[in-house]
Amino acid sequence: MYYYEIAILRSPLNNLTYQSEDKIDIGTKVLIKLRQRKVLDEAVVIKEVEKPTFECTNISEITNEFFDEKMLQISTFVSQYYVCSLGEALSVYNPFDKELKGSFEEKIFDSKIELSPFQKKAKEFLDSKKQALLFANTGAGKTEIYIKIIEEHLNKNQQALLLMPEISLTPQMQKRLEKVFGKCVAIWHSKITKKRKDEILKGLQNGEIRLVAGARSALFLPYTDLGVMVVDEEHDDSYKSDSKPRFHTKDLAIYIAKKYDLQLVLGSATVSSSSFHKVPFFRLDETYYDTKKVYSFEDSSTNLTPKILNKIAQTINSKNQVIVFLPTRANFKYQI
């Protein structure tokens, strides 16, 4: 008979001791019966222990899912630092499947992005510091730098993670990433279907998916060889979990990157004070595209003069976008 200390997923209870006639690998997800409950609870085998002085209950079922050593180590840190049970910390992870074995085929990606001289300096700084902050103005071209860094890691047969604060930000980013990386990109957040989540988890393990972009839960997927993490808009409050475990995704990403020697890029136009003081940063204050501001004064009863309409038409025909601001606090609310 074997005896194991187990952590019950999504439960505030401390670890308990159960027994099994079978030898079980550490990190394996099992099903157990807790007290008089009719439904079996999910748990994780933490370590093998000596036979206790009290009588133990049998482990009901051994699954094919497992949490690797990194997941166990990070969850132990989360439980201690953010004050929760190990079972609650482990519950944020999506485990590996023993039946899925990765076979990463070599793929070469070419983004065809030409960085400006100043962007190249920023990228060289980020590469040299390993974990660093990109303090860049809006329109300075952060995304182009992200893509070039991700591209290099994917060409080394590694995986990449791009964290974004809001689900609403993902569609436009998804188009840009898919244009470069094709079907190797997956978008992960709470609104995607269970079927799609299962496809992504399978793709991560068999090597089909190399890049995941999404909200904070994307940090806890079963990566086999994660090479780089990018935390965009690192100042955003939505990276802080409001339910147990109450971790901060950005801080946890910094911890993981330093512990396992991964490249980490934090990016923002309005950086948080903690990152500004604690993380090496590069100030990128030049715009990626050359822009100019022109004032035009015309005597007309309407704001949309023929000259303005013509300029709008030219801009749209060149497949660019236009913003028209209306004076809603003036003498009228609608313009026809």
Side-chain angles (χ1 to χ4, degrees):
M1 189 68 71
Y2 300 94
Y3 299 89
Y4 297 100
E5 183 180 309
I6 66 165
I8 304 169
L9 295 177
R10 295 173 292 278
S11 171
L13 293 175
N14 292 328
N15 296 348
L16 302 176
T17 304
Y18 277 71
Q19 66 183 24
S20 174
E21 294 181 355
D22 301 314
K23 181 76 172 176
I24 306 175
D25 294 331
I26 303 303
T28 300
K29 182 177 171 182
V30 296
L31 301 180
I32 59 158
K33 189 169 184 179
L34 187 64
R35 299 188 182 128
Q36 301 302 316
R37 293 183 62 176
K38 294 181 180 180
V39 179
L40 296 178
D41 286 272
E42 297 177 328
V44 182
V45 174
I46 302 304
K47 62 181 179 181
E48 188 176 352
V49 296
E50 297 291 330
K51 181 179 180 181
T53 56
F54 50 85
E55 186 176 341
C56 294
T57 304
N58 287 319
I59 290 174
S60 302
E61 187 178 332
I62 303 170
T63 73
N64 288 323
E65 296 179 310
F66 72 97
F67 298 77
D68 69 359
E69 187 177 350
K70 287 183 180 179
M71 291 177 173
L72 294 175
Q73 290 175 350
I74 295 166
S75 296
T76 299
F77 168 78
V78 169
S79 68
Q80 295 170 350
Y81 190 80
Y82 294 104
V83 192
C84 63
S85 72
L86 183 56
E88 288 173 322
L90 280 165
S91 64
V92 299
Y93 271 102
N94 287 273
F96 287 89
D97 190 332
K98 291 180 180 178
E99 294 182 351
L100 296 176
K101 294 184 179 180
S103 56
F104 278 52
E105 296 180 5
E106 187 173 347
K107 294 184 179 180
I108 302 299
F109 300 95
D110 183 7
S111 61
K112 294 182 173 60
I113 292 174
E114 290 293 331
L115 299 181
S116 68
F118 206 46
Q119 283 178 312
K120 288 179 181 178
K121 286 184 181 179
K123 183 181 176 301
E124 288 169 2
F125 178 87
L126 297 173
D127 289 337
S128 65
K129 296 297 182 183
K130 206 69 186 268
Q131 293 97 35
L133 168 66
L134 181 59
F135 185 0
N137 291 3
T138 301
K142 294 194 305 291
T143 305
E144 284 75 20
I145 297 174
Y146 295 162
I147 291 175
K148 291 297 285 185
I149 291 174
I150 288 170
E151 178 186 18
E152 288 182 358
H153 284 274
L154 265 56
N155 286 337
K156 296 176 185 175
N157 280 340
Q158 293 180 322
Q159 293 170 314
L161 168 64
L162 173 59
L163 290 172
M164 293 172 284
E166 299 291 344
I167 295 172
S168 59
L169 293 175
T170 56
Q172 67 181 78
M173 182 64 81
Q174 181 177 0
K175 290 179 182 178
R176 297 193 69 177
L177 295 175
E178 287 180 346
K179 187 176 180 180
V180 179
F181 304 111
K183 294 183 179 180
C184 290
V185 179
I187 304 299
W188 181 278
H189 51 72
S190 59
K191 300 299 182 182
I192 61 175
T193 64
K194 185 181 183 304
K195 180 181 178 182
R196 179 56 185 156
K197 284 185 177 181
D198 291 339
E199 290 172 354
I200 294 172
L201 293 174
K202 183 179 178 181
L204 268 174
Q205 286 191 245
N206 63 25
E208 292 177 2
I209 293 174
R210 307 288 178 87
L211 168 61
V212 176
R216 60 175 183 246
S217 57
L219 181 63
F220 305 103
L221 300 183
Y223 299 101
T224 53
D225 187 12
L226 186 61
V228 62
M229 294 184 289
V230 177
V231 184
D232 193 25
E233 306 297 340
E234 60 86 27
H235 65 277
D236 201 285
D237 289 338
S238 62
Y239 281 126
K240 181 73 169 71
S241 173
D242 55 3
S243 59
K244 270 195 171 185
R246 291 183 172 84
F247 59 86
H248 196 298
T249 310
K250 179 195 69 179
D251 294 343
L252 200 52
I254 295 173
Y255 168 80
I256 294 170
K258 289 185 176 180
K259 183 175 179 63
Y260 300 106
D261 195 31
L262 307 178
Q263 182 171 6
L264 172 70
V265 178
L266 307 177
S268 177
T270 54
V271 300
S272 60
S273 57
S274 60
S275 297
F276 184 77
H277 286 285
K278 293 180 180 179
V279 182
F281 71 90
F282 186 93
R283 186 75 173 96
L284 185 63
D285 53 8
E286 293 185 2
T287 55
Y288 184 57
Y289 296 102
D290 291 331
T291 59
K292 62 180 179 179
K293 181 163 57 177
V294 178
Y295 293 97
S296 177
F297 298 94
E298 298 182 36
D299 184 15
S300 174
S301 59
T302 175
N303 288 332
L304 294 178
T305 63
K307 181 179 179 180
I308 294 175
L309 290 171
N310 185 49
K311 198 70 178 176
I312 291 174
Q314 288 178 7
T315 306
I316 292 175
N317 290 335
S318 62
K319 296 184 178 180
N320 289 314
Q321 294 173 311
V322 178
I323 298 177
V324 177
F325 290 100
L326 299 178
T328 57
R329 286 180 175 270
N331 296 325
F332 55 88
K333 294 237 176 196
Y334 303 96
Q335 188 168 59
I336 299 174

